[in-house]
């Protein structure tokens, strides 16, 4: 019995390395209820480092005959907010992903949202290569998405925290 729990724990950890959330029609009905708050966010610009990683991902997508992703300000806002949250927690996570996906949908009309997160990489090249080597992260990068944004934030010790949101 303990062995089964161990394998279940390993599977949960492996699967939780990236997140996807499809917003069903029921989700959209709930989003339109008055008690749901809509966050109005302005468009923003990636930092130089964020822009470079975004370009790496788009160049990769082009190299495998996929359309490039368009930068989108609301997804940048929510990615940045999550990177700051991860810094406050001291680890990577997909905590509150469903809520982020719903908020992104309310602001953009997204019907499908995915997320990649990372830390413990010193450069954007290292993070990018790690995402490509991870099946779940690579599937998000190669997914049928139209828009995205990447947030890279640094904690006080100089560790980089990465969040990328994808949607269509």
């Amino acid at each position: 019995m303990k062995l089964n729990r161990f394998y279940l724990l390993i599977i949960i950890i492996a699967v939780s390395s990236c997140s996807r959330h499809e917003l069903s029609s029921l989700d959209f009905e709930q989003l339109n209820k008055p008690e749901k708050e809509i966050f109005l966010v302005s468009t923003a610009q990636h930092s130089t480092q964020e822009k470079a990683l975004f370009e790496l991902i788009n160049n990769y997508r082009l190299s495998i005959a996929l359309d490039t992703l368009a930068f989108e300000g609301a997804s940048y806002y929510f990615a940045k907010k999550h990177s700051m949250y991860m810094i406050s927690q001291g680890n990577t996570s997909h905590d509150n992903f469903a809520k982020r996906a719903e908020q992104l949908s309310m602001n953009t009309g997204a019907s499908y949202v995915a997320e990649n997160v990372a830390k413990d990489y010193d450069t954007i090249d290292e993070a990018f290569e790690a995402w490509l080597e991870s099946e779940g992260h690579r599937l998000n990068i190669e997914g049928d998405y139209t828009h995205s944004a990447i947030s890279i934030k640094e904690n006080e010790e100089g560790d980089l925290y990465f969040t990328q949101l994808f949607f269509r």
Side-chain angles (χ1 to χ4, degrees):
M1 192 64 147
K2 287 184 180 181
L3 191 56
N4 287 342
R5 287 184 186 160
F6 173 75
Y7 287 122
L8 180 61
L9 180 62
I10 295 298
I11 290 169
I12 290 170
I13 290 170
V15 171
S16 67
S17 66
C18 61
S19 288
R20 292 179 198 89
H21 186 72
E22 185 167 8
L23 299 168
S24 67
S25 58
L26 177 60
D27 290 324
F28 280 116
E29 289 171 14
Q30 291 177 354
L31 292 176
N32 292 325
K33 289 184 179 177
E35 66 269 11
K36 293 289 183 177
E37 183 176 356
I38 294 180
F39 295 86
L40 299 176
V41 294
S42 62
T43 58
Q45 297 271 325
H46 277 140
S47 70
T48 303
Q49 204 172 31
E50 292 162 342
K51 184 181 243 182
L53 181 53
F54 197 80
E55 288 176 8
L56 274 174
I57 289 168
N58 271 337
N59 288 338
Y60 172 77
R61 286 176 61 90
L62 284 173
S63 77
I64 58 170
L66 294 174
D67 291 334
T68 60
L69 301 165
F71 171 81
E72 197 283 319
S75 57
Y76 182 66
Y77 171 83
F78 293 115
K80 184 168 80 172
K81 190 173 174 182
H82 186 62
S83 291
M84 298 305 293
Y85 169 81
M86 291 190 301
I87 288 172
S88 75
Q89 300 299 302
N91 60 23
T92 57
S93 74
H94 294 288
D95 292 354
N96 306 309
F97 174 70
K99 183 176 181 178
R100 251 186 321 288
E102 288 178 4
Q103 290 171 336
L104 187 57
S105 178
M106 284 188 285
N107 282 274
T108 64
S111 60
Y112 199 83
V113 177
E115 174 178 84
N116 284 349
V117 297
K119 81 168 197 136
D120 297 329
Y121 299 103
D122 295 326
T123 68
I124 61 171
D125 292 317
E126 288 176 7
F128 175 66
E129 290 301 322
W131 278 345
L132 288 183
E133 290 172 8
S134 162
E135 182 179 6
H137 293 98
R138 188 182 68 255
L139 287 173
N140 285 343
I141 290 171
E142 295 175 355
D144 182 21
Y145 301 106
T146 56
H147 295 81
S148 183
I150 299 170
S151 167
I152 305 171
K153 295 297 172 202
E154 188 175 327
N155 70 5
E156 291 177 359
E157 292 79 32
D159 302 318
L160 299 176
Y161 286 75
F162 301 79
T163 303
Q164 182 170 18
L165 287 168
F166 305 85
F167 73 91
R168 64 171 183 257

